[in-house]
């Protein structure tokens, strides 16, 4: 009987051909559905893990464990193309041969590169025509290489490999490709996410770094975003600030000011700026930048800068320039006056010597002499102020300076029924300076203090204090009185030459400006605080000697 | 055959068992039944009756009676479309050979897909068929219990035999009452088909003791009841006997397979649309004569089963008596004697012989037959 005949009879009457069973079919279907479900679960899980930002190697390990339950394989790996090269990005389990980040050159991984080029899934087996040393070395018998294809390029490869020969059915292969697709999305999303996060952090840091106030308000001028500087300024927590009116928080006003830049920006949609002086003297500059104006939900980014200090500095600069001009002029005048004044003085002294005291003219010449001396004093002051004179600087203690000054005028002050309270800091650092000049400054300040009691009743007390101001890093001498004080409007002018609040003839008006000049030659400054009716405090700040010299001294 | 498999469906036999068709379908989990029948059976009122029984048990149904004798591939295609469109989930075949073959073919396509040609041959069906119930409306074709269906490929003009265990119906219902509406000619033709099944199964190379018992019993019953059944529509005893004979022959043939008669009858149906039973009746004695030398004793057994006196005869003589008995039966029931009577011409023989040589039925024929030998037999039967 011919072979095929036997076979046909076998199939018709033999024991191996059977009626197809529904039970079997059902079981197959159920197991297929179960497998499908697992596959869906894995894909879902993957989709979820993308959003919670699991590290890639962790993700690949999780996938490997889950997928193994439905598709048999021994190893999974993920390779990434970067800059025309292929790198092993992660793999599971460890094998002692591979390491993360190792490059797989084209001649080593022909099968892998082939998939990268064809963008089509490949089931590779050793001896299938493509020599892949990389896979062969690992003892792989079957490898399903799925491309991770995005837009127009292959990002990488997802490889599921088996150490035993096995046949994968088409649904398994389709699933592995789906998995690769999902991983592609994961990779893209992750890169995007990192990029966005990085950009966000950068902006946040910028936002935080700015020391001026930055606020974002909506069209009702309600705050919805602020930087830390604003929190500090307002003294409120971020939660407390949200939804508050910016007028209230920044200006302390119930409604918007007339020329408010924020209002203007909201109305015009253009950048606006304005300046506001608050009751406490601070001056704030506002810049309002409309944002989202086109998108129907307009808001304004507000930049607020406290320019009080800057303005002060500008005024100071102007003053300095003015003083410099004045100083030069004064010096010129003083020089011109010096010679005739010397002649007047010399002549009048000659004349006085020749006249007897009883003579009527003697008194007149004496007056001339007194006035000429006074003129000489003024000229001397002017020359000092304009730094026309040179002095030698050496290390000294401010305590000594103060003590010398008190020796000169202390008695004079105390006889005027004024108490002097001293408080010297023993460890005060030495400074470099000229003792005579600084004594002159101190005498000036002390005499000013003494004069502040004129026409006042009440406590008559002058405090003299020395010390070291840690914050400024400067040595200071503070002279405070409980006298009449200086009116606010005068405070700005007291260091100007020829300015005096004293009656005509009682002061040269040069005392404080000359003092400031001396202190400035010493690299220091003079601060003043005053309250009319309660007294004034003048503080001379001077830089200390550099540390080492202090120690050696 | 030392190792074999024997397969039968669940069988419900007896007068009036048609009423169990609905309950049977329900039992198999059907909710909407695709009822395949033909115009003749429908005309006799059996389709209405079956539908009533389906309705009784609350089953929905779709009746399809487009099948013709020797069912064609395109008809099956329509059946499949209708089945799927109407959302049926079970198939009932009610009729003679054609309706049942068509029902089986539709059942293949609705769960396996593809074209019916895809399943030509043996054991090609991969997936289970929907629940399938076959109700025999003739006594002869046997499709209600067999693992076969035969469909005409209209392009190639050949009958494609499809054999698969999956084609054995889940339930076979044989109700002799249904035979009472069949005319004498069809009764004779289908009866001769049953006899051919029994004889071919008995001499088949795949015969087993089980099929032998069934086949011999079927031969005996046909020999004693066919004449009476042809003679009278109302002789229920003869009808019942023929129904049983057809059933036994069908089971024997499904498990022991056929032979050259069917191999040669199939091309006649495919090429000339010749009625299956008629072609079998004419070919049977000629094929028996050709096969005689392969198994004289078996043919002697057949002669005996047909009531011939064989005592004292040589085995050859006894065997030859079986051919005479068949010829006498054919003549008695008025069966045609020559293929020419039903349209065969000499020019067809070459193509027919080639087709017959390729038919699956030929493989279990006791004597190997070449194309030339098959042509000779056709010529002898012309
Ligand atoms: Fe038949």
């Amino acid at each position: 009987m011919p072979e095929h005949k036997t076979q046909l009879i076998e199939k018709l009457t033999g024991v191996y051909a059977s009626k197809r069973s529904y039970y079997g079919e059902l079981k197959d279907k159920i197991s297929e559905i179960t497998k499908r479900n697992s596959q869906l679960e894995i894909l879902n899980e993957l989709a979820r893990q993308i959003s919670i930002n699991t590290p890639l190697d962790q993700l690949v390990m999780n996938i490997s464990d889950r997928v193994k339950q439905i598709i048999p394989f021994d190893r999974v790996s993920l390779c990434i193309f970067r800059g025309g090269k292929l790198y092993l990005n992660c793999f599971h389990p460890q094998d002692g041969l591979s390491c993360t980040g190792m490059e797989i050159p084209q001649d080593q991984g022909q099968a892998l590169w082939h998939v990268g080029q064809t963008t089509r899934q490949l089931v590779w087996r050793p001896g299938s025509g493509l020599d892949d040393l990389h896979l062969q070395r690992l003892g792989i018998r079957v490898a399903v290489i799925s491309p991770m294809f995005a837009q127009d390029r292959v990002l990488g490869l997802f490889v599921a490999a088996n150490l035993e020969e096995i046949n994968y059915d088409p649904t398994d292969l389709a699933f592995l490709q789906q998995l690769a697709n999902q991983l592609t999305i994961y990779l893209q999303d992750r890169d995007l996410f990192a990029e966005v996060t990085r950009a966000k952090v950068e902006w946040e840091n910028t936002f935080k770094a700015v020391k001026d106030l930055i606020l974002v308000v909506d069209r009702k001028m309600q705050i919805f975003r602020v930087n830390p500087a604003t929190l500090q300024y307002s003294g409120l927590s971020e939660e407390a600030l949200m939804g508050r009116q910016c007028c209230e928080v920044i200006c302390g006003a119930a409604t918007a000011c007339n020329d408010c830049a924020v209002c203007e920006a909201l109305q015009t949609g253009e950048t606006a700026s304005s300046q506001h002086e608050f009751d406490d003297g601070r001056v704030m500059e506002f810049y309002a930048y409309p944002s989202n104006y086109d998108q129907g939900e307009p808001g304004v980014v507000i930049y607020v800068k406290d320019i009080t200090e800057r303005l002060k500095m500008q005024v100071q600069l102007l003053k300095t320039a003015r003083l410099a001009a004045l100083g030069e002029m004064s010096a010129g005048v003083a020089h011109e006056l010096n010679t005739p004044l010397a002649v007047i003085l010399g002549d009048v002294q000659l004349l006085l010597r020749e006249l007897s005291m009883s003579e009527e003219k003697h008194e007149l010449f004496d007056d001339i002499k007194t006035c000429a001396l006074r003129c000489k004093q003024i000229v001397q002051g002017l020359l000092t102020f304009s730094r026309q004179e040179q002095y030698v600087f050496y290390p000294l203690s401010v305590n000594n300076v103060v003590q010398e000054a008190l020796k000169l005028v202390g008695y004079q002050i105390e006889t005027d029924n004024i108490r002097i309270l001293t408080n010297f800091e023993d460890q005060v650092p030495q400074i470099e300076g000229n003792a005579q000049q600084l004594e002159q400054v101190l005498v000036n300040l002390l005499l000013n203090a003494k004069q502040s009691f004129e026409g006042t009743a009440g406590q008559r007390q002058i405090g003299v204090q020395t010390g070291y101001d840690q914050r400024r890093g400067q040595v200071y001498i503070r002279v405070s009185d409980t006298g009449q004080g200086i009116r606010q409007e005068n405070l700005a002018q007291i260091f100007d030459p020829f300015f005096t609040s004293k009656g005509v003839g009682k002061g040269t008006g040069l005392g404080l400006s000359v003092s400031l000049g001396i202190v400035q030659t010493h690299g220091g400054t003079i601060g003043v605080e005053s309250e009319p009716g309660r007294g004034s405090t003048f503080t001379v700040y001077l830089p200390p000697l550099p540390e080492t010299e202090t120690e050696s001294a | 055959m030392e190792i074999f498999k024997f397969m039968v469906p669940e069988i419900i036999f007896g007068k009036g068992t048609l009423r169990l068709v609905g309950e049977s379908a329900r039992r198999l989990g059907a909710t909407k039944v695709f009822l395949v029948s033909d115009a003749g059976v429908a005309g006799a009122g059996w389709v209405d009756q079956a539908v009533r029984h389906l309705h009784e048990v609350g089953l929905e149904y779709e009746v399809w009676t487009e099948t013709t004798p020797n069912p064609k591939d395109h008809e099956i295609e329509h059946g499949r479309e209708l089945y799927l469109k109407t959302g049926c989930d079970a198939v009932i075949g009610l009729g003679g050979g054609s309706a049942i073959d068509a029902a089986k073919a539709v059942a293949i396509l609705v769960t396996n897909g593809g074209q019916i040609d895809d399943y030509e041959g043996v054991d090609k069906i991969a997936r289970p068929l929907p629940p399938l119930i076959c109700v025999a409306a003739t006594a002869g074709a046997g499709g209600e219990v067999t693992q076969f269906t035969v469909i005409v490929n209209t392009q190639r003009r050949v009958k494609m035999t499809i054999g698969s265990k999956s084609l054995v119906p889940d339930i076979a219902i044989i109700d002799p009452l249904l035979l009472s509406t069949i005319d004498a000619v069809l009764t004779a033709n289908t009866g001769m088909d049953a006899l051919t099944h029994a004889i071919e199964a008995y001499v088949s190379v795949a015969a087993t003791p089980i099929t032998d018992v069934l086949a011999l019993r079927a031969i005996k019953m046909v020999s004693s009841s066919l004449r009476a059944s042809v003679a009278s529509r109302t002789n229920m005893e003869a009808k019942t006997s023929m129904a049983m004979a057809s059933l036994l022959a069908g089971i024997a043939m499904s498990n022991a397979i056929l032979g050259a008669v069917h191999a040669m009858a199939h091309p006649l149906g495919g090429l000339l649309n010749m009625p299956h039973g008629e072609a079998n009746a004419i070919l049977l004695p000629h094929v028996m004569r050709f096969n005689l030398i392969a198994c004289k004793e078996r043919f002697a057994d057949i002669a005996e089963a047909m009531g011939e006196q064989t005592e004292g005869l040589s085995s050859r003589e006894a065997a030859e008596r079986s051919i005479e008995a068949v010829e006498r039966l054919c003549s008695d029931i008025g069966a045609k004697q020559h293929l020419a009577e039903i349209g065969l011409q000499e020019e067809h023989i070459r193509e027919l012989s080639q087709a017959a040589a390729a038919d699956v039925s030929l493989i279990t024929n006791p004597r190997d037959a070449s194309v030339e030998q098959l042509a000779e037999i056709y010529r002898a039967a012309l």
Side-chain angles (χ1 to χ4, degrees), chain A residues 154-221:
Chain A
V154 177
L155 291 182
L157 306 168
F158 175 65
V159 185
N162 229 293
L163 301 176
E164 305 290 331
E165 171 59 37
I166 185 175
N167 273 318
Y168 288 109
D169 66 53
T171 58
D172 289 348
L173 296 178
F175 175 67
L176 290 173
Q177 183 57 57
Q178 265 178 311
L179 213 54
N181 296 346
Q182 198 68 41
L183 276 169
T184 312
I185 296 172
Y186 169 85
L187 278 186
Q188 284 179 307
D189 281 10
R190 194 191 57 156
D191 290 353
L192 209 62
F193 190 69
E195 177 63 26
V196 169
T197 309
R198 197 181 54 78
K200 187 168 174 266
V201 167
E202 261 176 29
W203 274 112
E204 270 172 9
N205 287 344
T206 309
F207 200 57
K208 278 180 193 160
V210 176
K211 294 294 175 225
D212 299 315
L213 318 190
I214 300 177
L215 306 86
V216 187
V217 299
D218 61 17
R219 66 164 124 206
K220 290 179 193 154
M221 293 171 72

Side-chain angles (χ1 to χ4, degrees), chain A residues 32-319:
Chain A
E32 198 183 310
I33 288 168
T34 312
K35 194 166 165 180
R36 274 271 143 203
N37 271 344
S38 302
Q39 290 179 346
L40 277 176
E41 265 173 41
I42 292 166
L43 290 178
N44 267 344
E45 202 171 296
L46 205 54
R48 193 172 52 78
Q49 288 186 350
I50 285 168
S51 52
I52 60 173
N53 204 19
T54 320
L56 186 60
D57 50 352
Q58 179 70 43
L59 185 67
V60 166
M61 206 161 92
N62 292 353
I63 290 171
S64 159
D65 289 343
R66 288 298 312 274
V67 178
K68 253 184 206 164
Q69 294 164 10
I70 50 168
I71 300 176
F73 59 80
D74 299 315
R75 179 196 153 87
V76 5
S77 60
L78 207 122
C79 307
I80 302 284
F81 284 103
R82 204 183 315 117
K85 290 183 172 175
L86 183 64
Y87 298 96
L88 181 62
N89 193 289
C90 52
F91 55 94
H92 182 73
Q94 293 296 324
D95 51 34
L97 281 172
S98 312
C99 60
T100 300
M102 70 185 246
E103 194 196 329
I104 305 167
Q106 192 155 5
D107 57 339
Q108 297 272 305
Q110 280 189 30
L112 297 174
W113 278 84
H114 180 76
V115 173
Q117 279 151 8
T118 59
T119 75
R120 225 169 283 133
Q121 194 184 48
L122 173 75
V123 181
W124 175 87
R125 289 181 167 83
S128 62
L130 285 162
D131 279 336
D132 198 298
L133 294 174
H134 172 73
L135 297 176
Q136 261 159 11
R137 256 203 301 272
L138 294 165
I140 288 167
R141 303 298 301 277
V142 187
V144 181
I145 309 168
S146 311
M148 294 168 66
F149 191 71
Q151 278 108 49
D152 51 353
R153 68 202 181 92
V154 177
L155 291 182
L157 306 168
F158 175 65
V159 185
N162 229 293
L163 301 176
E164 305 290 331
E165 171 59 37
I166 185 175
N167 273 318
Y168 288 109
D169 66 53
T171 58
D172 289 348
L173 296 178
F175 175 67
L176 290 173
Q177 183 57 57
Q178 265 178 311
L179 213 54
N181 296 346
Q182 198 68 41
L183 276 169
T184 312
I185 296 172
Y186 169 85
L187 278 186
Q188 284 179 307
D189 281 10
R190 194 191 57 156
D191 290 353
L192 209 62
F193 190 69
E195 177 63 26
V196 169
T197 309
R198 197 181 54 78
K200 187 168 174 266
V201 167
E202 261 176 29
W203 274 112
E204 270 172 9
N205 287 344
T206 309
F207 200 57
K208 278 180 193 160
V210 176
K211 294 294 175 225
D212 299 315
L213 318 190
I214 300 177
L215 306 86
V216 187
V217 299
D218 61 17
R219 66 164 124 206
K220 290 179 193 154
M221 293 171 72
Q222 286 175 339
I223 297 170
F224 66 88
R225 191 98 207 254
V226 295
N227 69 341
T230 308
L231 296 181
Q232 206 178 0
Y233 172 88
S234 67
L236 293 171
S237 70
E238 191 158 353
E239 292 75 45
L241 270 181
M242 292 301 115
R244 299 271 286 266
Q245 287 289 322
C246 75
C247 303
E248 180 196 344
V249 173
I250 306 300
C251 311
T255 55
C257 314
N258 286 333
D259 56 346
C260 175
V262 183
C263 298
E264 192 187 329
L266 271 174
Q267 277 159 15
T268 62
E270 307 282 337
T271 300
S273 69
S274 61
Q275 223 179 60
H276 297 273
E277 186 168 352
F278 296 153
D279 293 340
D280 58 5
R282 277 177 311 153
V283 182
M284 304 291 244
E285 200 166 38
F286 287 73
Y287 291 92
Y289 307 93
S291 71
N292 267 345
Y293 214 79
D294 311 329
Q295 274 116 52
E297 196 47 61
V300 177
V301 179
I302 309 169
Y303 181 89
V304 184
K305 195 171 176 63
D306 186 336
I307 56 166
T308 317
E309 285 301 319
R310 197 181 75 199
L311 284 180
K312 265 188 198 166
M313 219 141 74
Q314 276 174 354
V315 169
Q316 191 69 45
L317 267 172
L318 271 176
K319 203 184 280 175

Side-chain angles (χ1 to χ4, degrees), chain B residues 32-295:
Chain B
K32 184 166 186 178
V33 168
F34 192 63
L35 178 61
V36 182
S37 194
D38 59 43
V41 177
W46 299 117
V47 170
D48 286 347
Q49 199 169 318
V51 161
R52 202 159 59 240
H53 296 312
L54 294 174
H55 189 73
E56 274 164 13
V57 295
L59 284 176
E60 288 187 77
Y61 51 86
E62 188 66 35
V63 177
W64 182 59
T65 56
E66 276 174 37
T67 51
T68 54
N70 295 322
K72 323 289 186 288
D73 45 12
H74 54 82
E75 295 167 1
I76 304 308
E77 200 55 54
H78 288 158
R80 181 237 301 261
E81 281 166 27
L82 186 63
Y83 177 101
L84 294 175
K85 200 178 78 188
T86 54
C88 293
D89 57 9
V91 178
I92 293 178
L94 169 60
S98 304
I100 288 176
D101 279 354
K104 286 180 171 182
V106 169
I108 295 172
L109 292 188
V110 296
T111 55
N112 286 268
Q115 311 297 317
I116 198 65
D117 325 26
D118 301 342
Y119 304 98
E120 182 179 7
V122 180
D123 204 25
K124 299 275 180 66
I125 298 173
R127 319 186 63 161
L129 272 41
L132 178 62
I133 297 171
C134 291
V135 184
T138 63
E144 65 278 5
V145 291
T146 68
Q147 58 167 324
F148 295 106
T149 184
V150 181
I151 302 297
V152 174
N153 182 318
T154 46
Q155 274 191 324
R156 289 192 279 133
R157 296 222 290 171
V158 292
K159 274 192 164 183
M160 302 180 292
T161 300
I162 300 168
S164 164
K165 294 286 189 289
S166 291
L167 286 174
V168 176
D170 296 296
I171 298 175
I173 295 175
I174 297 100
D175 182 351
L177 280 183
L178 269 59
L179 304 181
S180 61
T181 54
I182 300 176
D183 64 27
V185 175
L186 189 56
T187 305
N189 285 343
T190 52
M192 283 309 292
D193 191 18
L195 182 66
T196 311
H197 293 160
I199 291 173
E200 294 219 276
Y202 191 68
V203 300
S204 160
V205 297
T208 67
I210 304 178
T211 59
D212 286 349
V213 172
L214 298 166
L216 277 183
R217 183 63 194 254
I219 293 166
K220 193 176 260 177
M221 290 175 89
V222 172
S223 307
S224 59
S225 307
L226 182 56
R227 291 176 178 84
S229 182
V230 170
S232 162
R233 280 198 186 195
T234 53
N235 184 343
M236 278 319 294
E237 201 184 327
K239 302 284 176 204
T240 305
S241 183
M242 276 311 296
M244 179 55 81
S246 161
L247 172 62
L248 299 178
I251 298 169
M253 167 271 271
S254 177
N255 289 284
I257 324 300
L258 294 156
V261 181
H262 274 77
M264 296 176 72
H266 285 155
L268 289 169
L271 190 67
L272 304 170
N273 205 19
M274 205 173 268
H276 178 63
E278 251 174 57
N280 278 345
I282 299 167
L283 287 167
L284 182 58
H286 298 283
V287 172
M288 286 170 81
R289 198 163 287 123
F290 174 73
N291 281 341
L292 198 81
I293 55 159
C295 46

Side-chain angles (χ1 to χ4, degrees), chain A residues 316 319-320 323 385 387 441 444-445 494-496 510-527 539-540:
Chain A
Q316 191 69 45
K319 203 184 280 175
T320 310
L323 291 181
F385 167 74
R387 301 172 212 170
V441 170
N444 194 314
L445 290 178
I494 54 170
F495 291 102
D496 289 0
L510 280 171
L512 275 174
S513 62
V514 170
S515 296
L516 182 62
I518 293 169
V519 172
Q520 281 175 343
T521 1
H522 283 75
T525 180
I526 301 177
T539 311
V540 177

Side-chain angles (χ1 to χ4, degrees), chain A residues 415-442:
Chain A
T415 51
D416 208 12
N417 206 15
I418 298 166
R419 268 185 74 200
I420 298 177
L421 302 173
T422 55
N423 179 10
F424 300 153
E425 163 71 54
D426 293 340
Q427 300 299 318
V428 67
Q430 286 204 312
I431 62 156
E432 188 168 58
N434 180 281
Q436 280 74 42
Q437 277 197 302
L438 289 175
E439 275 162 33
Q440 193 189 333
V441 170
L442 255 288

Side-chain angles (χ1 to χ4, degrees), chain A residues 463-493:
Chain A
V464 183
Q465 191 191 350
T466 61
Y468 179 71
D469 187 319
Q470 292 287 347
R471 196 172 58 81
R472 300 177 67 125
Q474 284 181 316
V475 172
Y476 65 87
I477 307 162
R478 187 164 290 143
V479 178
S480 49
D481 62 66
T482 54
Q484 61 193 4
I486 304 162
R487 283 212 296 277
Q488 198 71 33
E489 65 264 31
N490 291 340
L491 208 52
Q493 302 171 55

